[in-house]
């Protein structure tokens, strides 16, 4: 299995809703990442988990809450989002200490906040 | 902090022709990795090619090759025999060999392939 699977592919939520994005990989990668990508822009790093511990939080608002329950799964919990949070959310994984091999990305969740 | 610059927001190429996408970066590190990723309309970021900074030999993957100039901090991507399926957004990316949990992307170049 050489894939990163993200669900759902599309999500529309109101500003008072609570929802979660899910990311799963079975490649034995011990580093997992959340990126946010606005239209026609590069991905922006949000969070990094290394060996199931949060190692980087790029000053992301608290309405985004990451969780890494095990080495294969990464969640992003969403609460009280704003319309400007609408974007493509990409999950990626990599071998934690072999930095030369790049990331494997999922296909993303297209989030629309109404 | 490392920065990655792609100065060509858009490029176009005729099918079967060759095109070169530019990328420069700024770093004070000596050991790092560089990547080109492709993002088609399907949205998934796909690794095209990678280069280790300590290797002088330019990486090649089939029709894709790079021109890595370490002193100039330049990392361009050459696509030969362009195909319609090459049309996508291309991102140049930098990853430190020390900070193994951080990859930085350039702004991207949108490549159009004309039949």
């Amino acid at each position: 299995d050489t894939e990163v699977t993200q669900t759902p592919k599309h999500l529309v939520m109101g500003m008072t809703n609570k929802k979660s994005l899910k990311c799963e990989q079975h490649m034995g990668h011990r580093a997992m990442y959340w990126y946010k990508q606005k239209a026609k822009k590069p991905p922006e790093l949000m969070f990094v988990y290394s060996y199931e511990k949060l190692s980087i939080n790029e000053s992301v608002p608290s309405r985004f809450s990451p969780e890494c329950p095990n080495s294969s799964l990464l969640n992003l919990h969403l609460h009280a989002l704003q319309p400007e949070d609408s974007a493509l959310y990409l999950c990626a994984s990599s071998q934690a200490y072999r930095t030369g091999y790049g990331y494997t990305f999922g296909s993303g969740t297209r989030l629309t906040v109404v | 902090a490392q920065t990655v610059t792609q100065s060509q927001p858009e490029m176009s190429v005729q099918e079967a022709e060759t095109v070169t996408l530019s990328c420069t970066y700024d770093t004070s590190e000596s050991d790092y990795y560089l990547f080109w990723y492709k993002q088609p309309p399907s949205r998934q970021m796909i690794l095209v090619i990678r280069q280790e900074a300590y290797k002088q030999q330019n990486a090649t993957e089939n029709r894709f090759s790079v021109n890595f100039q370490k002193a100039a901090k330049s990392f361009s991507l050459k696509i030969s025999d362009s195909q319609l399926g090459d049309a996508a957004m291309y991102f140049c990316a930098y990853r430190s060999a020390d900070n193994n949990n951080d990859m930085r992307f350039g702004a991207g170049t949108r490549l159009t392939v004309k039949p």
Side-chain angles (χ1 to χ4, degrees):
Chain A
D1 189 351
T2 58
E3 289 186 345
V4 173
T5 303
Q6 288 189 245
T7 55
K9 294 195 182 303
H10 302 274
L11 178 63
V12 179
M13 61 184 291
M15 289 189 284
T16 59
N17 291 159
K18 287 184 180 180
K19 296 286 185 183
S20 296
L21 310 184
K22 179 180 173 181
C23 173
E24 197 165 6
Q25 57 87 16
H26 297 285
M27 294 176 281
H29 290 172
R30 301 305 296 275
M32 297 185 75
Y33 315 83
W34 281 115
Y35 279 85
K36 173 182 178 180
Q37 187 179 23
K38 302 285 272 186
K40 299 184 180 180
K41 297 290 186 182
E44 296 177 358
L45 185 65
M46 299 175 71
F47 302 104
V48 179
Y49 274 84
S50 180
Y51 290 89
E52 296 84 71
K53 293 190 188 314
L54 183 65
S55 61
I56 295 179
N57 176 341
E58 291 284 340
S59 302
V60 178
S62 60
R63 56 186 184 268
F64 295 91
S65 176
E67 178 195 21
C68 189
N70 59 58
S71 60
S72 299
L73 189 57
L74 185 66
N75 298 319
L76 186 62
H77 302 297
L78 314 172
H79 173 55
L81 295 192
Q82 303 297 309
E84 59 266 27
D85 296 321
S86 298
L88 179 67
Y89 288 84
L90 291 166
C91 174
S93 70
S94 73
Q95 298 186 41
Y97 291 106
R98 300 184 69 180
T99 60
Y101 288 86
Y103 297 178
T104 302
F105 283 86
S107 296
T109 295
R110 176 76 65 192
L111 174 67
T112 303
V113 181
V114 297
Chain B
Q2 297 82 19
T3 57
V4 180
T5 302
Q6 294 178 250
S7 59
Q8 306 155 316
E10 295 184 358
M11 292 283 284
S12 67
V13 62
Q14 205 71 33
E15 195 176 6
E17 298 293 312
T18 296
V19 65
T20 299
L21 308 184
S22 300
C23 174
T24 58
Y25 57 94
D26 185 25
T27 184
S28 58
E29 299 175 328
S30 59
D31 196 11
Y32 50 87
Y33 301 91
L34 298 165
F35 306 87
W36 278 98
Y37 277 89
K38 168 185 177 182
Q39 188 176 37
S42 65
R43 311 178 322 199
Q44 186 166 14
M45 297 277 282
I46 301 165
L47 179 63
V48 175
I49 198 166
R50 54 185 283 270
Q51 174 79 42
E52 295 97 334
Y54 60 85
K55 287 189 176 180
Q56 290 187 331
Q57 186 174 5
N58 290 325
T60 299
E61 289 285 344
N62 300 314
R63 297 182 296 107
F64 298 88
S65 61
V66 298
N67 183 4
F68 173 50
Q69 302 290 328
K70 190 172 184 179
K73 297 180 182 175
S74 170
F75 182 61
S76 61
L77 174 69
K78 185 171 83 171
I79 306 174
S80 303
D81 185 25
S82 297
Q83 301 175 359
L84 294 177
D86 295 334
M89 196 75 171
Y90 285 81
F91 293 100
C92 178
Y94 173 104
R95 190 180 190 190
S96 168
D98 293 331
N99 182 352
N100 57 54
N101 292 326
D102 193 2
M103 181 179 287
R104 300 292 175 174
F105 292 89
T109 296
R110 180 166 300 283
L111 178 66
T112 302
V113 180
K114 298 178 180 178

